[in-house]
Amino acid sequence: MPVEPPIEIPTSLAEAWAILGASTAADQVTPIAGGTDVMVRITGEIGEPPRRLVDLSRLDALRGIAVDGDAAVIGALTTYTEIRRSSLCREHLPVLVEAAATIGAAQIQNRGTIGGNAANASPAGDMLPVLLALDAAFVVGGPRGERTIPADGFWVAYRRTALAPDELILRVRIPLAGGREMRFRKIGTRRAQAISKVVVAVAWGAGSAAGPADRRGGTHGRDVRVALGSVADRPIRARATEAALDGRAPTPETADAAAEVLAAEIEPIDDVRSTAEYRRAVAARALHRIVRDAGGW
């Protein structure tokens, strides 16, 4: 039978950082937020079980959703349910609400947090490509103060982040740039409660100086972001595909060309959930569908 690890419950960030600062390789401390991933590890069936836990649930400084200047700010302990119910997110970040709705069932959405999803660094984390495509940044903190890490540099390897051992994600900042659009598609074994086989998120500035509306109804896109999950050892941006879409109207020709570039750019693997060949083909088709939807054809 698994043994429940000892757990400490700080009531301030300073206390939490002190606990994390005492962590060693032989006696490592693992933060727990919603617990939807950490609790699975306790059985020892998936990875090494945690030796000690620090429960972040009483750190109210890590909660809340607000607008700060030209950015939305989401506390690290904000749950998927809170994101779905947030009028601010529904107004400014509907794609984040859409992604939150695809994660597990109601029980998972009530417990799982945006900060935990990011810190867990799973390549299949549904929120992570969305945050990449939105140009989000993580405000992290520790005994040495706060710093900001762009999402594009946050996930550094398989299940590894740029966090120092004694740092925590405090909040997520998402720019609220006017005139930007975004689409998200998740492909899994089922329509719901499925671990993703492929996630594709695309964002762009619509109606830009690139030119007038295309005859099929779409506008030329600028500053395109194409982010994917479950096709590499971490969430990634597909920069060659972004270049193939940038400044082009969402026509069938653009969709065909971008899908071809994406299929050649990514290097997925075979694993228990899918094959590299399937992921490559489906990622390309998902992108094609997103361009088609944007163009209205």
Side-chain angles (χ1 to χ4, degrees):
M1 293 290 293
V3 177
E4 183 175 331
I7 186 167
E8 297 183 70
I9 309 175
T11 56
S12 70
L13 283 170
E15 188 181 353
W17 291 329
I19 294 168
L20 289 170
S23 176
T24 65
D27 191 25
Q28 189 171 16
V29 178
T30 299
I32 180 170
T36 57
D37 286 297
V38 173
M39 294 301 290
V40 176
R41 288 177 49 201
I42 287 179
T43 66
E45 296 176 8
I46 302 177
E48 187 73 18
R51 295 178 180 273
R52 286 199 293 147
L53 295 174
V54 54
D55 181 355
L56 308 180
S57 62
R58 296 186 185 177
L59 301 181
D60 290 339
L62 306 186
R63 302 186 186 278
I65 302 173
V67 172
D68 179 21
D70 59 356
V73 181
I74 303 177
L77 289 184
T78 302
T79 65
Y80 306 127
T81 295
E82 289 168 338
I83 290 171
R84 294 186 66 185
R85 292 177 177 174
S86 165
S87 58
L88 188 153
C89 288
R90 289 198 299 269
E91 178 182 356
H92 297 288
L93 299 167
V95 72
L96 203 66
V97 175
E98 180 186 355
T102 71
I103 298 175
Q107 297 94 325
I108 296 295
Q109 293 174 16
N110 288 340
R111 293 289 306 172
T113 66
I114 190 170
N117 196 224
N120 190 53
S122 168
D126 296 329
M127 279 286 191
L128 311 191
V130 176
L131 295 176
L132 267 178
L134 286 170
D135 287 332
F138 298 99
V139 180
V140 309
R144 295 165 300 284
E146 295 185 8
R147 62 189 180 113
T148 299
I149 307 173
D152 197 26
F154 186 76
W155 300 286
V156 299
Y158 178 70
R159 289 191 177 272
R160 288 183 54 202
T161 72
L163 285 169
D166 57 355
E167 286 184 320
L168 294 169
I169 299 175
L170 305 180
R171 52 195 176 271
V172 184
R173 291 186 63 89
I174 302 175
L176 298 177
R180 285 191 71 76
E181 296 186 35
M182 186 165 178
R183 301 285 193 280
F184 160 86
R185 288 188 71 82
K186 170 182 173 176
I187 296 90
T189 303
R190 302 179 297 272
R191 292 182 62 87
Q193 299 187 46
I195 299 176
S196 62
K197 294 184 177 183
V198 174
V199 175
V200 182
V202 183
W204 67 94
S208 68
D214 181 79
R215 58 184 174 83
R216 293 180 178 86
T219 56
H220 295 70
R222 286 291 190 188
D223 298 322
V224 177
R225 301 287 184 270
V226 179
L228 299 100
S230 293
V231 300
D233 64 348
R234 71 198 84 172
I236 61 167
R237 277 178 53 188
R239 286 178 166 77
T241 306
E242 292 173 353
L245 288 167
D246 202 61
R248 293 172 172 81
T251 64
E253 295 78 16
T254 298
D256 289 345
E260 184 176 347
V261 171
L262 181 62
E265 182 175 7
I266 61 176
E267 297 181 357
I269 63 169
D270 296 336
D271 64 16
V272 295
R273 289 198 303 278
S274 192
T275 66
E277 181 181 4
Y278 177 86
R279 286 185 164 111
R280 184 176 289 107
V282 168
R285 292 308 301 169
L287 177 66
H288 196 282
R289 176 65 179 267
I290 287 172
V291 176
R292 187 181 79 183
D293 290 349
W297 43 271

